[in-house]
């Protein structure tokens, strides 16, 4: 848009195997019909030794609708609706067919899979490893495909140990920049007006 400490405590000593944790996360993702939340995104720029903080709202509707809306300090909206993407700001709207744009197709798929926790089962893109830290499972995703390696060095997904839902995403870009996205006020499986995903 994309820090953490790993616990030395073994998953197995807690009665969990890595395979079981992944399965629980996949089960939670499969049951997720809808999700809406606020988010805080912090972008760390390596070259400038600076950071930029932005806030917004996110809406997800199974299986292929996502609205990512920045509300401050600027207004910008990214809507994914099946194979169409709408990029909207105060001055213009751009509609992109992701089937015709390989880069946008990859970015849209990663965004979708990360926020709903499906990236762990996407073995064609990433190798994944689970670690434990306090009340969270931390999934480390390492790109395996060329397209992914060109964008990201690593992706970290933080899952609540009770709900197995994503609470934070950290994206480490190839150039060393880092984006941390924290999800707040999460509501799952509620009613979301399909009109907010409309692409004109």
């Amino acid at each position: 848009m994309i820090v953490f400490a790993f616990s030395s405590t073994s998953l197995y000593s807690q009665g969990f195997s890595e395979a079981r944790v992944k399965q629980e996360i996949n089960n939670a993702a499969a049951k997720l019909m809808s999700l809406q939340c606020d988010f805080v995104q912090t972008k760390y720029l390596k070259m400038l030794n600076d950071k930029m903080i932005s806030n917004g709202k996110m809406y997800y509707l199974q299986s292929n609708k996502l609205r990512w809306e920045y509300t401050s300090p600027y207004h910008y909206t990214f809507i994914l609706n099946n194979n169409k993407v709408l990029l909207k700001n105060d001055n213009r709207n751009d509609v992109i067919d992701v089937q015709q744009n390989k880069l946008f197709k990859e970015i849209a798929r990663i965004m979708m899979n990360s926020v709903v926790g499906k990236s762990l089962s996407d073995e064609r893109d990433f190798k994944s490893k689970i670690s434990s830290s306090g009340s969270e499972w931390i999934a480390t995703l390492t790109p395996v495909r060329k397209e992914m390696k060109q964008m990201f060095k690593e992706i970290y997904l933080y899952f609540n140990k009770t709900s197995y839902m994503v609470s934070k995403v950290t994206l480490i870009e190839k150039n060393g920049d880092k984006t941390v996205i924290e999800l707040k006020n999460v509501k799952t499986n509620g009613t979301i007006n399909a009109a907010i995903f409309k692409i004109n």
Side-chain angles (χ1 to χ4, degrees):
M1 199 185 351
I2 322 297
V3 177
F4 44 88
F6 291 109
S7 169
S8 60
T9 304
S10 167
L11 298 179
Y12 302 96
S13 68
Q14 298 180 357
F16 277 94
S17 69
E18 186 165 343
R20 182 178 173 185
V21 172
K22 288 183 180 180
Q23 186 58 54
E24 292 288 354
I25 290 170
N26 289 336
N27 290 344
K31 295 176 183 176
L32 188 63
M33 300 294 108
S34 70
L35 185 151
Q36 54 184 312
C37 67
D38 301 322
F39 69 83
V40 179
Q41 176 179 296
T42 306
K43 176 85 173 185
Y44 298 87
L45 303 174
K46 182 180 179 182
M47 294 296 293
L48 300 178
N49 193 29
D50 196 8
K51 65 180 181 181
M52 299 182 297
I53 299 175
S54 51
N55 297 272
K57 296 181 178 294
M58 189 269 283
Y59 304 85
Y60 163 79
L61 195 61
Q62 198 185 60
S63 62
N64 208 22
K65 293 180 174 64
L66 180 72
R67 181 186 179 102
W68 193 265
E69 181 179 355
Y70 293 93
T71 56
S72 69
Y74 52 87
H75 289 86
Y76 183 84
T77 303
F78 172 103
I79 299 175
L80 170 65
N81 191 329
N82 295 315
N83 291 323
K84 297 288 186 180
V85 165
L86 171 66
L87 304 176
K88 179 170 67 173
N89 60 26
D90 293 334
N91 300 315
R92 60 181 291 178
N93 294 355
D94 292 308
V95 177
I96 298 168
D97 185 341
V98 296
Q99 295 297 92
Q100 304 298 319
N101 188 308
K102 192 173 184 179
L103 177 61
F104 262 95
K105 185 177 181 180
E106 297 293 343
I107 292 174
R109 186 163 54 82
I110 289 173
M111 279 188 66
M112 179 77 74
N113 288 348
S114 294
V115 296
V116 300
K118 293 182 178 179
S119 293
L120 298 187
S121 56
D122 207 349
E123 296 180 354
R124 61 179 177 161
D125 289 328
F126 301 101
K127 291 188 299 183
S128 62
K129 179 179 64 176
I130 301 289
S131 300
S132 175
S133 178
S135 61
E136 295 178 312
W137 299 116
I138 304 173
T140 303
L141 306 182
T142 304
V144 294
R145 289 175 58 199
K146 180 180 179 181
E147 295 87 349
M148 297 295 99
K149 290 181 177 179
Q150 289 174 344
M151 290 188 283
F152 303 109
K153 181 179 179 182
E154 285 179 318
I155 297 175
Y156 299 90
L157 305 180
Y158 296 73
F159 296 88
N160 182 283
K161 283 185 177 179
T162 302
S163 66
Y164 293 93
M165 296 292 299
V166 174
S167 59
K168 183 167 69 173
V169 179
T170 297
L171 304 166
I172 309 296
E173 297 174 32
K174 188 177 180 181
N175 64 3
D177 289 353
K178 179 176 68 176
T179 302
V180 178
I181 301 168
E182 297 179 82
L183 306 185
K184 310 281 189 180
N185 305 317
V186 177
K187 299 177 182 178
T188 60
N189 295 338
T191 301
I192 299 179
N193 189 340
I196 70 170
F197 303 104
K198 185 177 179 180
I199 294 179
N200 297 324

